[in-house]
Amino acid sequence: MLLFTPGPTPVSQNVRNAMSDETMHHRTPEFEAIFAKTRKHLFNLFKTDEVIMLASSGTGAMEAAVINLCKHTLLNVNSGKFGERFGKIAVANGLTSVEIKNEWNTPVTVEAIIDTVKNNSNIDAIAVQISESAGGLRHPVEEIAKSVKEINPNIMIIADGITAVGVERIDVENIDCLIAGSQKALMLPPGLSILGLSNKAIETIGKGKGYYLNLASEIKKQKENTTAYTAATTLIIGLLEVLETIESNGGLSRLYGDTACRSKAVKRALEAIGLEIYPKTPAKSMSTVIDTDASQIRTLLKEEFDVNVAGGQDHLKGKIFRINQMGLIPVYEMAWVVNAVELTLSRIGRRKYDGTANRVFNEAFLGTLDGFKKGTSK
Ligand SMILES: *Cc1c(COP(=O)(O)O)cnc(C)c1O
């Protein structure tokens, strides 16, 4: 079965092997050496002043960011479940949430953010997804961050990059906190989250807030290549293997280039067989299709063609399906996925199968990708 959900993503054999050794004690020079190497790779990936690894799913890092960086009012962007979650985290921690809500296919505008900030001087942090995974939407986070900092450099910008870090190069110049999670673009099992922090964020954190999620305690320890509490040793060993694999496959620029090509080629292939892409500004992490037969398409993809894609949640349940594009994906797998979607449409009588999706995908990929000439993008 091909796992093509936008998280969790498949864990490759070399990474599973790396994680299968005996459990290592976390307070040892051996593990500290692995931790140091992993940190070095993470600085290259995040380009932020500091990076912190937490033993938690992505939501743990979202909560850590909100409680440590927001003292009063959080402005959160709700164009989907994950943006909504930032507001719920704020309220659960006794903070005020001001929300800009849009349909799940609609990105927030820079103007809407700036208007809201100007009208509410209590807003001291803004939380927004780079890629909102609920609908596969890209928000203009870098532009938002730049415009907000021009008005007030003290407002903290929290960018949820759980389906963006490792997908595309993110300009962190005006971002104070960039969040990643293990089970999405980093191709690991769930349970590890990572925060990239600016020096300004570290200043704002001061002594930190909370106990387990207190970022001040983690910053102090992680600078010394250890953690405040027991580290997720196995996942960190896996993360080092992933980051080394990316390096030996041409590095980050190759990964970003391949992902961008794949993303464009998949969308063209899906449109060529008459499907509609849902978000107005699609993220590169996934392709989201809105379709009245979405449920049936997903079932057939899984049962007849061994392809597992994700559906929608809440009001989009049964109305969309989402295909992953994150990570190191062999080109022959991606070609099979779009081909399987076309086969499915023919199975339900929507079109006559003629191989259009596969052809358009290959042409689009071949036209733009250097790596294709070597026969694979892996
Ligand atoms: C998956 C995801 C999360 C939540 O992560 P968990 O690991 O499920 O806690 C947050 N934000 C985005 C954009 C995601 O895709």
Side-chain angles (χ1 to χ4, degrees):
M1 177 77 69
L2 293 179
L3 180 61
F4 264 83
T5 56
T9 55
V11 180
S12 63
Q13 187 65 56
N14 63 313
V15 177
R16 295 203 299 269
N17 290 349
M19 294 190 298
S20 69
D21 273 348
E22 285 175 351
T23 299
M24 201 181 255
H25 196 284
H26 55 293
R27 310 280 181 213
T28 54
E30 291 79 12
F31 183 68
E32 283 169 19
I34 292 169
F35 196 90
K37 268 203 229 170
T38 311
R39 255 171 81 79
K40 205 164 154 234
H41 280 287
L42 286 176
F43 276 110
N44 185 39
L45 176 65
F46 278 71
K47 311 274 187 224
T48 48
D49 298 316
E50 187 51 82
V51 288
I52 295 298
M53 290 176 257
L54 293 178
S56 78
S57 86
T59 306
M62 292 167 75
E63 183 149 7
V66 170
I67 65 173
N68 285 275
L69 293 172
C70 180
K71 314 269 183 240
H72 197 284
T73 300
L74 181 76
L75 169 56
N76 62 290
V77 171
N78 177 355
S79 295
K81 268 229 138 2
F82 297 108
E84 178 188 51
R85 186 170 301 175
F86 269 128
K88 289 184 172 173
I89 289 171
V91 172
N93 285 285
L95 299 162
T96 305
S97 148
V98 173
E99 186 169 273
I100 301 177
K101 196 169 175 177
N102 280 308
E103 190 39 59
W104 290 14
N105 65 345
T106 307
V108 71
T109 62
V110 177
E111 296 71 38
I113 295 273
I114 297 301
D115 282 353
T116 312
V117 167
K118 282 185 175 161
N119 286 323
N120 188 337
S121 58
N122 288 329
I123 292 170
D124 56 351
I126 299 174
V128 56
Q129 275 59 37
I130 297 175
S131 155
E132 169 53 83
S133 315
L137 175 77
R138 179 67 157 92
H139 283 299
V141 177
E142 296 89 338
E143 292 86 341
I144 290 169
K146 186 167 184 285
S147 306
V148 170
K149 292 289 181 183
E150 279 165 10
I151 306 177
N152 183 352
N154 293 322
I155 295 179
M156 289 287 109
I157 307 289
I158 301 167
D160 172 355
I162 294 178
T163 52
V165 174
V167 170
E168 57 177 312
R169 196 174 298 285
I170 296 151
D171 176 5
V172 292
E173 197 183 336
N174 298 295
I175 291 174
D176 295 292
C177 176
L178 176 63
I179 299 169
S182 54
Q183 80 275 26
K184 310 276 173 87
L186 297 176
M187 302 166 274
L188 285 166
L192 187 74
S193 67
I194 308 158
L195 298 106
L197 298 167
S198 70
N199 284 330
K200 183 97 188 157
I202 295 169
E203 209 180 287
T204 306
I205 290 163
K207 289 189 165 54
K209 262 280 170 66
Y211 188 81
Y212 184 68
L213 298 177
N214 185 314
L215 290 176
S217 346
E218 289 298 344
I219 292 165
K220 184 165 170 281
K221 292 289 184 183
Q222 299 200 17
K223 275 185 191 301
E224 296 161 3
N225 295 316
T226 186
T227 47
Y229 314 105
T230 307
T233 47
T234 308
L235 287 168
I236 293 170
I237 290 166
L239 177 58
L240 179 58
E241 181 70 19
V242 168
L243 298 171
E244 284 176 346
T245 306
I246 292 170
E247 269 319 297
S248 59
N249 275 275
L252 289 173
S253 53
R254 171 77 183 273
L255 174 66
Y256 298 150
D258 281 8
T259 307
C261 278
R262 182 161 56 237
S263 167
K264 193 157 83 181
V266 170
K267 285 183 182 74
R268 278 201 198 152
L270 295 171
E271 282 172 341
I273 53 172
L275 293 172
E276 187 189 339
I277 299 295
Y278 174 65
K280 290 176 188 163
T281 51
K284 292 189 177 77
S285 52
M286 67 194 78
S287 284
T288 304
V289 170
I290 182 154
D291 198 285
T292 44
D293 297 322
S295 256
Q296 203 188 352
I297 292 171
R298 269 186 75 212
T299 306
L300 281 170
L301 276 174
K302 197 165 172 184
E303 287 175 1
E304 309 252 335
F305 303 107
D306 282 334
V307 176
N308 190 358
V309 302
Q313 288 174 291
D314 294 0
H315 65 295
L316 291 181
K317 197 169 191 305
K319 300 204 166 93
I320 59 167
F321 64 93
R322 295 172 295 148
I323 304 175
N324 177 52
Q325 274 139 211
M326 296 176 276
L328 296 160
I329 300 176
V331 64
Y332 48 84
E333 287 188 3
M334 199 76 250
W336 171 254
V337 172
V338 293
N339 185 52
V341 174
E342 184 177 351
L343 285 165
T344 302
L345 291 186
S346 116
R347 201 55 72 85
I348 61 175
R350 290 259 299 263
R351 62 175 276 124
K352 190 174 168 300
Y353 178 80
D354 62 3
T356 296
N358 184 51
R359 178 179 54 77
V360 171
F361 171 80
N362 284 314
E363 281 171 1
F365 211 61
L366 187 65
T368 39
L369 185 75
D370 193 36
F372 189 86
K373 295 185 189 103
K374 292 177 198 143
T376 170
S377 76
K378 195 162 184 180

